Amino acid sequence: MTLQFSLVAASTSPETVETPCLVVGVYENGLLTSAAARVDGASEGAIKRQVESGDISGKAGSTAVLYAPAGVAARRVLVVGLGAQKSFDAARYQKVHLEAARALGRLPVDTAVSFLADLDVPGRDAAWRVRTAALAADHAAYRYTATFKPREKAAQPELQSVAFVAAHEAQPGLDQAVAIAQGVRFARELANLPPNICNPSYLAAQAQAFADANEGVSCRVLDHEAMEKLGFGSLLAVGRGSANRPRLIALEYKGGNEGDKPYAFVGKGITFDSGGISLKPGAGMEEMKFDMGGAAGVLGAFVAAVKMRLELNLVCVVPAAENMPDGDSYRPSDVLTSLSGLTIEVLNTDAEGRLILCDALTWTAQTYQPKAIIDAATLTGACVIALGKHASGLMSKHDELAAELLAAGEATLDRAWRLPLWDDYQVQLESGFADVANIGGKSAGAITAGCFLSRFTEGQRWAHLDIAGTAWDEGRKGLATGRPVPLLVQWLMDRAG
């Protein structure tokens, strides 16, 4: 269930708000925000006494609850630590809202009123603050409940809505947050589903259902027979070993002027990756259901753009396949003929994402002649080694496009870091048996994967996002994050003006 959000007038006095829980902030060294100071005064020093006793530290993200403080209309006051005021920034602002939402989720409350959205964040306006606060709250409140695990009936009320105290100028930010949250949840649900449910045909069905339910959206699906006739030799090779046949999914949204070229997203949709004949180690293979995180991300961004009714034309293309070992699987040393006509020597069947993407990128360019193409893919473990779990890897030969995407990432805190895509690296992809090899050796693995894709995007304004480190949280209970939905949607918003 998506959280419900609303605004409360900035002139509201916190001590008079009747709510199951009021949320205020305290900086380190006992410095109270104006809202916390009002509550403290009305309650005859209830907050300051806990600061002096050490029960409220002000450490960033820490929380403490005051129950039924005298002189305050709220039944509870959640006090959230903000850290040092002089270094308070956008990232810290997001963190405290995440922790506030997590703390609210542990309380028996169904609604809350937060005064944290009015905190001063250098360089950020009221709309940004409310949008970021709402998205952080929705992210923290997300629970995966889709299949198989019976959900126990809640023994106490659960958080359903949050109201933010902010100026009326923040309303556009709240509207944007509602749409983006829908897209993020759409992406997270798809990626979290088990691979026996979320296979290529399921992804196609979900795309078609969304198109049927939303005006101005259409869906086109190519099955393996249609792709074979067109020459998708690279994509089809990857899916040959699976009983779940590949699909190419194309969603179109016409929110701009008739005849305007669209923007295009392409997302890697490997719904399960065993590695194929180049079989992955068993430990951790269960996380390979997340290998369609790029597809989930671009579909989620598409959903958000449609819900926001952005005034532009957009296409979202998902090559979907399973990479499985079988008697008909493609092999190391096979030579494939891609849709572009370039031949590819397969040196490792576990470098399959680039093989489905290259055909999808070629088809997207030929079919739509887009203004720009951005692909998102959980492409390489090398990118995780290089950048960890915090930043997505960004590669492009177009400096202006790269700058736009980096700026969108900074605006949303869904950040990316640019890696070089120099021709110097292309030599690593040389093959004695085909036009190009599908891997470039141990060094610069994320970059050579981008170099491979660049060979299929000549003449296109194109960028590649490697989200292998950012698309999901590792571990037995790790969940999909929904990235890079915020980054992609912000980029579209900037294009739509």
Side-chain angles (χ1 to χ4, degrees):
M1 179 186 68
T2 304
L3 280 182
Q4 302 298 308
F5 300 112
S6 60
L7 292 185
V8 175
S11 58
T12 301
S13 299
E15 69 275 16
T16 66
V17 177
E18 294 184 6
T19 176
C21 192
L22 189 75
V23 185
V24 298
V26 174
Y27 294 101
E28 286 182 355
N29 301 320
L31 180 61
L32 308 187
T33 61
S34 59
R38 292 286 296 264
V39 170
D40 187 67
S43 61
E44 298 183 352
I47 295 178
K48 284 187 176 179
R49 284 196 296 274
Q50 293 214 28
V51 169
E52 291 167 359
S53 68
D55 293 308
I56 294 177
S57 67
K59 182 180 178 181
S62 63
T63 57
V65 180
L66 307 181
Y67 294 95
V72 178
R75 293 198 290 277
R76 297 169 190 80
V77 177
L78 176 66
V79 183
V80 182
L82 307 178
Q85 185 184 34
K86 65 180 180 180
S87 58
F88 193 78
D89 59 7
R92 180 108 55 83
Y93 178 86
Q94 183 187 56
K95 176 182 178 178
V96 299
H97 279 281
L98 280 166
E99 296 306 326
R102 288 175 180 139
L104 287 170
R106 295 189 291 268
L107 296 173
V109 300
D110 58 3
T111 186
V113 176
S114 174
F115 277 77
L116 298 181
D118 204 31
L119 295 171
D120 181 49
V121 183
R124 312 288 184 164
D125 62 15
W128 180 92
R129 295 197 302 269
V130 166
R131 187 178 78 177
T132 302
L135 288 174
D138 193 75
H139 193 278
Y142 172 83
R143 300 290 182 272
Y144 171 70
T145 58
T147 55
F148 303 127
K149 188 175 180 180
R151 191 167 189 266
E152 296 178 2
K153 186 175 181 180
Q156 60 185 26
E158 293 183 310
L159 187 65
Q160 297 181 22
S161 64
V162 179
F164 298 103
V165 178
H168 71 276
E169 292 88 351
Q171 187 62 50
L174 192 64
D175 296 339
Q176 293 162 5
V178 170
I180 296 170
Q182 290 183 67
V184 169
R185 282 182 175 255
F186 190 89
R188 297 183 82 183
E189 283 292 284
L190 284 178
N192 286 329
L193 284 169
N196 59 317
I197 299 294
C198 187
N199 55 34
S201 62
Y202 182 89
L203 278 179
Q206 293 301 299
Q208 185 64 64
F210 182 77
D212 292 344
N214 289 273
E215 185 180 353
V217 179
S218 60
C219 181
R220 176 183 181 186
V221 178
L222 302 183
D223 62 15
H224 68 282
E225 292 177 344
M227 286 189 280
E228 189 170 1
K229 290 178 182 177
L230 292 171
F232 282 75
S234 185
L235 191 161
L236 290 174
V238 173
R240 258 182 16 215
S242 174
N244 293 306
R245 309 307 292 171
R247 299 287 191 278
L248 185 80
I249 305 157
L251 282 165
E252 299 180 37
Y253 164 62
K254 295 184 178 179
N257 297 322
E258 185 71 29
D260 280 359
K261 290 182 178 181
Y263 296 98
F265 292 156
V266 178
K268 174 187 171 185
I270 295 292
T271 57
F272 187 77
D273 182 20
S274 69
I277 298 299
S278 306
L279 193 68
K280 290 178 179 291
M285 194 192 288
E286 72 279 359
E287 293 188 358
M288 288 301 97
K289 70 174 186 177
F290 293 119
D291 210 20
M292 42 68 70
V298 297
L299 288 168
F302 186 90
V303 166
V306 172
K307 295 298 182 183
M308 215 177 290
R309 307 309 297 178
L310 291 181
E311 295 182 357
L312 47 72
N313 296 329
L314 177 66
V315 297
C316 178
V317 177
V318 171
E322 269 191 341
N323 186 24
M324 300 289 285
D326 179 76
D328 193 37
S329 292
Y330 77 127
R331 298 153 290 242
S333 80
D334 279 2
V335 173
L336 313 177
T337 301
S338 68
L339 181 62
S340 72
L342 288 176
T343 56
I344 304 164
E345 181 187 10
V346 178
L347 298 181
N348 189 318
T349 65
D350 194 26
E352 84 299 327
R354 66 200 71 183
L355 297 178
I356 69 169
L357 282 171
C358 70
D359 276 358
L361 289 166
T362 298
W363 185 82
T364 301
Q366 291 175 350
T367 305
Y368 297 106
Q369 295 86 46
K371 291 182 178 179
I373 303 178
I374 300 168
D375 77 72
T378 53
L379 206 60
T380 66
C383 196
V384 188
I385 299 301
L387 298 176
K389 305 292 289 183
H390 303 290
S392 300
L394 168 64
M395 282 158 265
S396 179
K397 290 187 176 181
H398 303 270
D399 293 343
E400 185 179 350
L401 178 58
E404 292 168 1
L405 291 164
L406 290 172
E410 290 296 329
T412 57
L413 304 178
D414 181 8
R415 293 179 290 189
W417 188 261
R418 191 177 183 186
L419 298 172
L421 203 60
W422 302 330
D423 288 340
D424 308 57
Y425 293 100
Q426 291 284 0
V427 66
Q428 293 179 232
L429 295 170
E430 289 181 356
S431 165
F433 302 94
D435 294 319
V436 62
N438 79 323
I439 59 172
K442 291 183 179 180
S443 62
I447 294 169
T448 55
C451 287
F452 178 90
L453 295 177
S454 74
R455 297 193 180 207
F456 300 86
T457 54
E458 291 292 338
Q460 299 296 313
R461 191 169 182 261
W462 161 79
H464 162 59
L465 286 169
D466 191 329
I467 60 170
T470 57
W472 78 93
D473 296 318
E474 294 176 340
R476 186 66 62 85
K477 295 184 178 181
L479 295 171
T481 63
R483 296 176 69 180
V485 172
L487 183 158
L488 293 175
V489 176
Q490 181 65 53
W491 181 78
L492 287 175
M493 290 166 56
D494 294 339
R495 309 284 73 71

